Amino acid sequence: MEKRFRMPIIASIFLLIVVVILNFLPLIRNVSTDDLIPIIPGGTFSDVIICLLLPFLFMVIMLFLGPIMTTSMVRMHKIIKLKKYDYFIIPIEKKISGKRILLRAVFPGLLAVNVAIYMSFSNTINQFFYYNGGEAQNIAVIIEYMSILLGIPVASLIILPIWMLQYSGLMSSKRIESYNRPVTPDIESVGQFYTKMLKGYVGISTIIAYSLILIEIFTTTNDSSIILLVFIDPIVIILIFIPISLIIEMRAGKINTRLDSYYKKLGIDTTPKTIKIE
């Protein structure tokens, strides 16, 4: 096992322990309800089990669907760039560190929580995620359940294919005949194109989302512990993305092999190229 994988593996084991404890708290506390999360069929026990397994199950599914979805992102990139770009592959020789494997989980984690926060403002939706509806003192629990059941699948659907695009080394360059004046070459990573676009959205969206949720909490309840829970939720959700971040890094070679076959179908030359700046 590579040394850089040790820290993420330890973090993943710690995560599993934390997530299991947090998910089984309702059972330990003997929650007085037969239906913890109304949108999930069955009683409290089945609700807890599904909350525990669903995020990881969806991420595993995305390991197989992700490479297929990257082709849609490449097609979208072509449309956005008005089909004026050529595509090629460069070899990715440098491997990311264990620390980076951990830190990149922040991006999809915040996106998942953002989705949950914005949806939590709808009392109609809230009633499907918590048995007491959308009462202010329950907002932290509602956001947590929404993050797990809706936010994580949405974030995985968007972010994991982008990670795969970055690993593949897919680049785009504006065709020479498209230039009508002397300019520097326009070359960019397709994966980085989407990363920059989404990071801008997630950064601004996080500030707005937390500003709105804090205003609602301050104007509806005096319970300061709710504020603490709202800020703990993102940490838990971010931790959940660490194992899939590790798995994608460990399977990068196999994922790239699949991506190459899809790129060839799009007419992209997958022979590795070298960029030289002279």
Side-chain angles (χ1 to χ4, degrees):
M1 181 180 65
E2 295 183 43
K3 184 178 179 180
R4 63 194 178 105
F5 292 149
R6 292 177 186 173
M7 185 165 57
I9 288 175
I10 293 172
S12 297
I13 295 172
F14 172 75
L15 150 79
L16 292 175
I17 296 172
V18 170
V19 171
V20 168
I21 292 174
L22 289 177
N23 273 273
F24 278 93
L25 272 180
L27 296 179
I28 297 172
R29 293 169 54 195
N30 295 317
V31 174
S32 57
T33 178
D34 293 328
D35 194 7
L36 184 65
I37 309 174
I39 199 172
I40 299 178
T44 300
F45 184 77
S46 62
D47 291 351
V48 168
I49 295 299
I50 290 175
C51 274
L52 182 63
L53 297 179
L54 181 63
F56 299 106
L57 176 61
F58 194 87
M59 290 179 188
V60 170
I61 292 174
M62 285 304 301
L63 282 176
F64 301 95
L65 292 182
I68 298 175
M69 293 185 63
T70 59
T71 59
S72 298
M73 288 186 165
V74 175
R75 288 192 177 99
M76 187 180 298
H77 187 271
K78 288 184 177 182
I79 294 172
I80 293 173
K81 296 296 185 177
L82 303 176
K83 297 184 178 182
K84 292 183 177 181
Y85 284 67
D86 290 320
Y87 295 83
F88 60 97
I89 301 291
I90 63 169
I92 306 297
E93 298 177 355
K94 188 175 182 179
K95 297 180 180 179
I96 66 174
S97 64
K99 181 180 179 181
R100 180 60 187 166
I101 292 173
L102 297 176
L103 289 178
R104 70 175 178 178
V106 173
F107 186 19
L110 288 179
L111 178 58
V113 174
N114 278 342
V115 170
I117 289 177
Y118 285 117
M119 295 191 69
S120 70
F121 289 113
S122 171
N123 289 329
T124 302
I125 298 176
N126 286 351
Q127 64 183 336
F128 294 109
F129 287 88
Y130 196 63
Y131 64 93
N132 280 339
E135 299 175 14
Q137 59 267 33
N138 299 324
I139 194 67
V141 179
I142 291 170
I143 291 174
E144 182 177 348
Y145 289 151
M146 282 188 178
S147 297
I148 292 172
L149 299 176
L150 295 178
I152 288 178
V154 169
S156 299
L157 204 63
I158 297 172
I159 304 301
L160 301 193
I162 292 177
W163 285 353
M164 294 176 186
L165 267 175
Q166 290 177 319
Y167 273 116
S168 70
L170 183 63
M171 305 291 292
S172 65
S173 62
K174 192 172 183 178
R175 298 189 186 99
I176 295 177
E177 58 268 24
S178 297
Y179 294 105
N180 54 17
R181 63 186 185 281
V183 293
T184 56
D186 186 354
I187 302 173
E188 70 175 355
S189 161
V190 177
Q192 196 63 20
F193 167 79
Y194 285 108
T195 298
K196 289 179 179 178
M197 183 169 60
L198 283 171
K199 277 187 176 179
Y201 164 76
V202 171
I204 296 172
S205 180
T206 299
I207 295 173
I208 295 174
Y210 268 89
S211 298
L212 292 174
I213 203 67
L214 288 176
I215 290 172
E216 179 170 335
I217 291 173
F218 282 130
T219 55
T220 54
T221 181
N222 295 321
D223 190 352
S224 58
S225 64
I226 301 299
I227 299 174
L228 179 62
L229 289 174
V230 167
F231 280 94
I232 289 177
D233 283 340
I235 298 175
V236 176
I237 302 304
I238 287 168
L239 287 174
I240 290 176
F241 278 96
I242 291 177
I244 194 65
S245 177
L246 173 62
I247 292 171
I248 288 179
E249 176 65 23
M250 296 176 75
R251 291 178 55 85
K254 293 182 179 179
I255 292 173
N256 282 345
T257 300
R258 284 190 63 193
L259 287 175
D260 282 352
S261 65
Y262 293 131
Y263 291 159
K264 288 177 182 177
K265 293 178 181 178
L266 293 175
I268 298 173
D269 183 5
T270 59
T271 304
K273 304 291 191 301
T274 301
I275 297 177
K276 291 183 179 181
I277 300 177
E278 298 177 345

